[in-house]
mmCIF file of all heavy atoms in Angstrom:
data_model
loop_
_atom_site.group_PDB
_atom_site.id
_atom_site.type_symbol
_atom_site.label_atom_id
_atom_site.label_comp_id
_atom_site.label_asym_id
_atom_site.label_seq_id
_atom_site.Cartn_x
_atom_site.Cartn_y
_atom_site.Cartn_z
ATOM 1 N N MET D 1 0.197 4.411 5.371
ATOM 2 C CA MET D 1 -0.476 5.416 4.448
ATOM 3 C C MET D 1 0.672 6.247 3.807
ATOM 4 O O MET D 1 1.818 6.316 4.314
ATOM 5 C CB MET D 1 -1.434 6.355 5.270
ATOM 6 C CG MET D 1 -0.665 7.184 6.287
ATOM 7 S SD MET D 1 -1.760 8.261 7.299
ATOM 8 C CE MET D 1 -2.276 9.371 6.039
ATOM 9 N N PRO D 2 0.334 6.886 2.751
ATOM 10 C CA PRO D 2 1.275 7.880 2.184
ATOM 11 C C PRO D 2 1.427 9.050 3.118
ATOM 12 O O PRO D 2 0.470 9.438 3.872
ATOM 13 C CB PRO D 2 0.621 8.339 0.860
ATOM 14 C CG PRO D 2 -0.557 7.420 0.737
ATOM 15 C CD PRO D 2 -0.922 6.762 1.917
ATOM 16 N N ILE D 3 2.642 9.556 3.155
ATOM 17 C CA ILE D 3 2.859 10.817 4.078
ATOM 18 C C ILE D 3 2.678 12.107 3.321
ATOM 19 O O ILE D 3 2.962 13.208 4.014
ATOM 20 C CB ILE D 3 4.236 10.671 4.787
ATOM 21 C CG1 ILE D 3 5.391 10.846 3.702
ATOM 22 C CG2 ILE D 3 4.396 9.366 5.462
ATOM 23 C CD1 ILE D 3 6.782 11.092 4.313
ATOM 24 N N HIS D 4 2.412 12.140 2.014
ATOM 25 C CA HIS D 4 2.210 13.358 1.280
ATOM 26 C C HIS D 4 1.166 13.075 0.098
ATOM 27 O O HIS D 4 0.656 11.996 0.050
ATOM 28 C CB HIS D 4 3.543 13.897 0.683
ATOM 29 C CG HIS D 4 4.198 12.970 -0.248
ATOM 30 N ND1 HIS D 4 4.883 13.366 -1.385
ATOM 31 C CD2 HIS D 4 4.337 11.559 -0.146
ATOM 32 C CE1 HIS D 4 5.425 12.317 -2.000
ATOM 33 N NE2 HIS D 4 5.113 11.286 -1.316
ATOM 34 N N ARG D 5 0.815 14.140 -0.724
ATOM 35 C CA ARG D 5 -0.148 14.087 -1.760
ATOM 36 C C ARG D 5 -1.536 13.748 -1.276
ATOM 37 O O ARG D 5 -2.332 13.221 -1.973
ATOM 38 C CB ARG D 5 0.396 13.059 -2.763
ATOM 39 C CG ARG D 5 1.589 13.494 -3.574
ATOM 40 C CD ARG D 5 2.012 12.529 -4.565
ATOM 41 N NE ARG D 5 0.950 12.323 -5.644
ATOM 42 C CZ ARG D 5 1.028 11.418 -6.616
ATOM 43 N NH1 ARG D 5 2.079 10.569 -6.713
ATOM 44 N NH2 ARG D 5 0.024 11.284 -7.389
ATOM 45 N N LEU D 6 -1.860 13.910 0.043
ATOM 46 C CA LEU D 6 -3.060 13.649 0.704
ATOM 47 C C LEU D 6 -4.263 14.697 0.328
ATOM 48 O O LEU D 6 -5.310 14.295 0.723
ATOM 49 C CB LEU D 6 -2.926 13.479 2.170
ATOM 50 C CG LEU D 6 -1.979 12.322 2.538
ATOM 51 C CD1 LEU D 6 -1.620 12.369 4.066
ATOM 52 C CD2 LEU D 6 -2.542 10.957 2.194
ATOM 53 N N ALA D 7 -3.932 15.687 -0.347
ATOM 54 C CA ALA D 7 -4.910 16.503 -0.806
ATOM 55 C C ALA D 7 -5.427 16.037 -2.166
ATOM 56 O O ALA D 7 -6.359 16.565 -2.832
ATOM 57 C CB ALA D 7 -4.526 17.979 -0.940
ATOM 58 N N GLU D 8 -4.817 14.942 -2.726
ATOM 59 C CA GLU D 8 -5.218 14.346 -3.982
ATOM 60 C C GLU D 8 -6.114 13.058 -3.712
ATOM 61 O O GLU D 8 -5.797 12.473 -2.729
ATOM 62 C CB GLU D 8 -4.054 14.024 -4.933
ATOM 63 C CG GLU D 8 -3.113 15.179 -5.174
ATOM 64 C CD GLU D 8 -1.817 14.550 -5.768
ATOM 65 O OE1 GLU D 8 -1.892 13.552 -6.533
ATOM 66 O OE2 GLU D 8 -0.759 15.150 -5.506
ATOM 67 N N TYR D 9 -7.031 12.722 -4.594
ATOM 68 C CA TYR D 9 -7.649 11.557 -4.530
ATOM 69 C C TYR D 9 -6.836 10.337 -4.719
ATOM 70 O O TYR D 9 -6.118 10.253 -5.795
ATOM 71 C CB TYR D 9 -8.920 11.490 -5.526
ATOM 72 C CG TYR D 9 -9.704 10.326 -5.557
ATOM 73 C CD1 TYR D 9 -10.659 10.121 -4.467
ATOM 74 C CD2 TYR D 9 -9.688 9.376 -6.542
ATOM 75 C CE1 TYR D 9 -11.458 8.993 -4.481
ATOM 76 C CE2 TYR D 9 -10.436 8.266 -6.566
ATOM 77 C CZ TYR D 9 -11.350 8.083 -5.547
ATOM 78 O OH TYR D 9 -12.049 6.963 -5.522
ATOM 79 N N PRO D 10 -6.793 9.318 -3.930
ATOM 80 C CA PRO D 10 -5.991 8.108 -4.026
ATOM 81 C C PRO D 10 -6.796 7.076 -4.985
ATOM 82 O O PRO D 10 -7.645 6.432 -4.420
ATOM 83 C CB PRO D 10 -5.821 7.543 -2.587
ATOM 84 C CG PRO D 10 -7.021 8.106 -1.817
ATOM 85 C CD PRO D 10 -7.438 9.402 -2.555
ATOM 86 N N SER D 11 -6.548 7.110 -6.219
ATOM 87 C CA SER D 11 -7.338 6.448 -7.129
ATOM 88 C C SER D 11 -6.940 4.979 -7.358
ATOM 89 O O SER D 11 -7.684 4.280 -8.048
ATOM 90 C CB SER D 11 -7.259 7.188 -8.450
ATOM 91 O OG SER D 11 -6.034 7.241 -8.976
ATOM 92 N N ARG D 12 -5.921 4.516 -6.811
ATOM 93 C CA ARG D 12 -5.419 3.191 -7.037
ATOM 94 C C ARG D 12 -5.599 2.337 -5.847
ATOM 95 O O ARG D 12 -5.508 2.856 -4.654
ATOM 96 C CB ARG D 12 -3.900 3.103 -7.534
ATOM 97 C CG ARG D 12 -3.529 4.002 -8.706
ATOM 98 C CD ARG D 12 -4.405 3.750 -9.873
ATOM 99 N NE ARG D 12 -4.286 2.329 -10.265
ATOM 100 C CZ ARG D 12 -5.126 1.776 -11.132
ATOM 101 N NH1 ARG D 12 -6.157 2.437 -11.653
ATOM 102 N NH2 ARG D 12 -4.977 0.557 -11.524
ATOM 103 N N GLU D 13 -5.919 1.013 -5.993
ATOM 104 C CA GLU D 13 -6.019 0.152 -4.846
ATOM 105 C C GLU D 13 -4.768 -0.807 -5.076
ATOM 106 O O GLU D 13 -4.547 -1.253 -6.133
ATOM 107 C CB GLU D 13 -7.277 -0.690 -4.899
ATOM 108 C CG GLU D 13 -8.484 0.121 -4.579
ATOM 109 C CD GLU D 13 -8.482 0.480 -3.139
ATOM 110 O OE1 GLU D 13 -7.991 -0.190 -2.313
ATOM 111 O OE2 GLU D 13 -9.323 1.427 -2.837
ATOM 112 N N ALA D 14 -3.997 -1.003 -4.031
ATOM 113 C CA ALA D 14 -2.660 -1.697 -4.234
ATOM 114 C C ALA D 14 -2.356 -2.565 -2.919
ATOM 115 O O ALA D 14 -2.987 -2.314 -1.889
ATOM 116 C CB ALA D 14 -1.561 -0.684 -4.399
ATOM 117 N N ILE D 15 -1.475 -3.547 -3.222
ATOM 118 C CA ILE D 15 -0.802 -4.153 -2.145
ATOM 119 C C ILE D 15 0.744 -3.790 -2.208
ATOM 120 O O ILE D 15 1.094 -3.101 -3.185
ATOM 121 C CB ILE D 15 -0.834 -5.707 -2.199
ATOM 122 C CG1 ILE D 15 -0.221 -6.222 -3.489
ATOM 123 C CG2 ILE D 15 -2.374 -6.129 -2.121
ATOM 124 C CD1 ILE D 15 -0.020 -7.746 -3.514
ATOM 125 N N LEU D 16 1.399 -4.031 -1.184
ATOM 126 C CA LEU D 16 2.892 -3.572 -1.175
ATOM 127 C C LEU D 16 3.771 -4.890 -1.234
ATOM 128 O O LEU D 16 3.484 -5.804 -0.459
ATOM 129 C CB LEU D 16 3.204 -2.749 0.131
ATOM 130 C CG LEU D 16 2.426 -1.521 0.355
ATOM 131 C CD1 LEU D 16 2.649 -0.878 1.634
ATOM 132 C CD2 LEU D 16 2.705 -0.513 -0.809
ATOM 133 N N ALA D 17 4.768 -4.813 -2.144
ATOM 134 C CA ALA D 17 5.765 -5.865 -2.221
ATOM 135 C C ALA D 17 7.185 -5.232 -1.819
ATOM 136 O O ALA D 17 7.466 -4.131 -2.217
ATOM 137 C CB ALA D 17 5.806 -6.387 -3.683
ATOM 138 N N ASP D 18 7.922 -5.965 -1.026
ATOM 139 C CA ASP D 18 9.211 -5.519 -0.592
ATOM 140 C C ASP D 18 10.343 -6.010 -1.597
ATOM 141 O O ASP D 18 10.051 -6.479 -2.774
ATOM 142 C CB ASP D 18 9.519 -5.988 0.816
ATOM 143 C CG ASP D 18 9.883 -7.394 0.873
ATOM 144 O OD1 ASP D 18 9.888 -8.179 -0.130
ATOM 145 O OD2 ASP D 18 10.242 -7.929 2.099
ATOM 146 N N LEU D 19 11.592 -5.747 -1.208
ATOM 147 C CA LEU D 19 12.639 -6.066 -2.163
ATOM 148 C C LEU D 19 13.130 -7.501 -2.088
ATOM 149 O O LEU D 19 13.941 -7.875 -2.907
ATOM 150 C CB LEU D 19 13.880 -5.193 -1.766
ATOM 151 C CG LEU D 19 13.751 -3.696 -2.101
ATOM 152 C CD1 LEU D 19 15.031 -2.906 -1.585
ATOM 153 C CD2 LEU D 19 13.465 -3.333 -3.425
ATOM 154 N N THR D 20 12.641 -8.298 -1.111
ATOM 155 C CA THR D 20 13.086 -9.585 -0.935
ATOM 156 C C THR D 20 12.641 -10.604 -2.077
ATOM 157 O O THR D 20 11.472 -10.345 -2.527
ATOM 158 C CB THR D 20 12.803 -10.208 0.400
ATOM 159 O OG1 THR D 20 11.359 -10.270 0.556
ATOM 160 C CG2 THR D 20 13.314 -9.410 1.574
ATOM 161 N N CYS D 21 13.368 -11.519 -2.419
ATOM 162 C CA CYS D 21 12.930 -12.595 -3.343
ATOM 163 C C CYS D 21 12.174 -13.628 -2.647
ATOM 164 O O CYS D 21 12.580 -14.780 -2.595
ATOM 165 C CB CYS D 21 14.203 -13.183 -4.011
ATOM 166 S SG CYS D 21 15.103 -11.995 -5.019
ATOM 167 N N ASP D 22 10.939 -13.274 -2.016
ATOM 168 C CA ASP D 22 10.168 -14.135 -1.219
ATOM 169 C C ASP D 22 8.745 -13.773 -1.458
ATOM 170 O O ASP D 22 8.362 -12.640 -1.320
ATOM 171 C CB ASP D 22 10.571 -13.965 0.212
ATOM 172 C CG ASP D 22 10.112 -15.170 1.070
ATOM 173 O OD1 ASP D 22 8.880 -15.419 1.056
ATOM 174 O OD2 ASP D 22 10.917 -15.804 1.789
ATOM 175 N N CYS D 23 7.937 -14.849 -1.671
ATOM 176 C CA CYS D 23 6.517 -14.589 -1.950
ATOM 177 C C CYS D 23 5.789 -14.031 -0.616
ATOM 178 O O CYS D 23 4.794 -13.461 -0.668
ATOM 179 C CB CYS D 23 5.750 -15.891 -2.460
ATOM 180 S SG CYS D 23 5.961 -17.202 -1.317
ATOM 181 N N ASP D 24 6.417 -14.239 0.556
ATOM 182 C CA ASP D 24 5.898 -13.688 1.798
ATOM 183 C C ASP D 24 6.251 -12.240 2.001
ATOM 184 O O ASP D 24 5.768 -11.589 2.855
ATOM 185 C CB ASP D 24 6.384 -14.589 2.976
ATOM 186 C CG ASP D 24 5.587 -15.813 3.160
ATOM 187 O OD1 ASP D 24 4.586 -15.940 2.552
ATOM 188 O OD2 ASP D 24 6.170 -16.682 3.788
ATOM 189 N N GLY D 25 7.152 -11.676 1.089
ATOM 190 C CA GLY D 25 7.538 -10.303 1.269
ATOM 191 C C GLY D 25 6.541 -9.379 0.779
ATOM 192 O O GLY D 25 6.831 -8.445 -0.147
ATOM 193 N N ARG D 26 5.369 -9.328 1.282
ATOM 194 C CA ARG D 26 4.280 -8.495 0.763
ATOM 195 C C ARG D 26 3.363 -8.100 1.933
ATOM 196 O O ARG D 26 3.362 -8.789 2.990
ATOM 197 C CB ARG D 26 3.440 -9.269 -0.258
ATOM 198 C CG ARG D 26 2.888 -10.576 0.325
ATOM 199 C CD ARG D 26 2.266 -11.450 -0.893
ATOM 200 N NE ARG D 26 1.005 -10.954 -1.292
ATOM 201 C CZ ARG D 26 0.610 -11.233 -2.488
ATOM 202 N NH1 ARG D 26 1.306 -11.854 -3.448
ATOM 203 N NH2 ARG D 26 -0.628 -10.923 -2.844
ATOM 204 N N ILE D 27 2.734 -7.015 1.882
ATOM 205 C CA ILE D 27 1.731 -6.598 2.762
ATOM 206 C C ILE D 27 0.373 -6.499 2.105
ATOM 207 O O ILE D 27 0.298 -5.732 1.147
ATOM 208 C CB ILE D 27 2.032 -5.130 3.424
ATOM 209 C CG1 ILE D 27 3.449 -5.191 4.030
ATOM 210 C CG2 ILE D 27 1.030 -4.822 4.401
ATOM 211 C CD1 ILE D 27 3.965 -3.845 4.608
ATOM 212 N N ASP D 28 -0.479 -7.337 2.470
ATOM 213 C CA ASP D 28 -1.831 -7.381 1.816
ATOM 214 C C ASP D 28 -2.913 -7.485 2.880
ATOM 215 O O ASP D 28 -4.080 -7.968 2.564
ATOM 216 C CB ASP D 28 -1.909 -8.672 0.812
ATOM 217 C CG ASP D 28 -1.541 -9.911 1.456
ATOM 218 O OD1 ASP D 28 -1.448 -9.895 2.695
ATOM 219 O OD2 ASP D 28 -1.478 -10.891 0.722
ATOM 220 N N ARG D 29 -2.692 -6.897 4.012
ATOM 221 C CA ARG D 29 -3.675 -6.768 5.035
ATOM 222 C C ARG D 29 -3.477 -5.346 5.620
ATOM 223 O O ARG D 29 -2.408 -5.048 6.102
ATOM 224 C CB ARG D 29 -3.654 -7.811 6.154
ATOM 225 C CG ARG D 29 -3.942 -9.177 5.682
ATOM 226 C CD ARG D 29 -3.783 -10.200 6.752
ATOM 227 N NE ARG D 29 -4.579 -10.005 7.942
ATOM 228 C CZ ARG D 29 -4.264 -9.733 9.045
ATOM 229 N NH1 ARG D 29 -2.888 -9.491 9.294
ATOM 230 N NH2 ARG D 29 -5.038 -9.598 10.128
ATOM 231 N N PHE D 30 -4.552 -4.551 5.548
ATOM 232 C CA PHE D 30 -4.430 -3.092 6.024
ATOM 233 C C PHE D 30 -5.632 -2.865 6.892
ATOM 234 O O PHE D 30 -6.703 -3.417 6.740
ATOM 235 C CB PHE D 30 -4.439 -2.189 4.758
ATOM 236 C CG PHE D 30 -3.355 -2.575 3.784
ATOM 237 C CD1 PHE D 30 -3.594 -3.382 2.738
ATOM 238 C CD2 PHE D 30 -2.134 -2.031 3.954
ATOM 239 C CE1 PHE D 30 -2.621 -3.771 1.745
ATOM 240 C CE2 PHE D 30 -1.051 -2.334 3.018
ATOM 241 C CZ PHE D 30 -1.374 -3.156 1.975
ATOM 242 N N THR D 31 -5.363 -1.905 7.831
ATOM 243 C CA THR D 31 -6.468 -1.501 8.677
ATOM 244 C C THR D 31 -6.926 -0.137 8.399
ATOM 245 O O THR D 31 -6.035 0.846 8.331
ATOM 246 C CB THR D 31 -6.054 -1.639 10.184
ATOM 247 O OG1 THR D 31 -7.075 -1.142 11.093
ATOM 248 C CG2 THR D 31 -4.772 -0.860 10.426
ATOM 249 N N LEU D 32 -8.199 0.122 8.132
ATOM 250 C CA LEU D 32 -8.728 1.390 7.821
ATOM 251 C C LEU D 32 -10.030 1.498 8.648
ATOM 252 O O LEU D 32 -10.494 0.525 9.144
ATOM 253 C CB LEU D 32 -9.141 1.506 6.325
ATOM 254 C CG LEU D 32 -8.019 1.491 5.350
ATOM 255 C CD1 LEU D 32 -8.427 1.488 3.955
ATOM 256 C CD2 LEU D 32 -7.035 2.751 5.531
ATOM 257 N N PRO D 33 -10.577 2.698 8.894
ATOM 258 C CA PRO D 33 -11.706 2.901 9.670
ATOM 259 C C PRO D 33 -13.009 2.074 9.209
ATOM 260 O O PRO D 33 -13.802 1.600 9.923
ATOM 261 C CB PRO D 33 -12.070 4.405 9.579
ATOM 262 C CG PRO D 33 -10.733 5.004 9.275
ATOM 263 C CD PRO D 33 -10.038 4.088 8.488
#
């Protein structure tokens, strides 16, 4: 999760990509309530 700006509405849906030149360098599974 973000560690700040949490009093604002999170209006975007996203996945995370890292700096590596690899298609596996991504996070696209997240756990929420």
Side-chain angles (χ1 to χ4, degrees):
M1 65 179 295
I3 67 166
H4 61 140
R5 293 180 60 186
L6 296 170
E8 305 171 30
Y9 179 72
S11 59
R12 308 303 303 165
E13 293 288 337
I15 67 169
L16 299 173
D18 73 358
L19 292 179
T20 63
C21 299
D22 196 304
C23 58
D24 283 340
R26 57 195 280 151
I27 305 177
D28 54 10
R29 294 175 62 245
F30 304 93
T31 177
L32 294 174

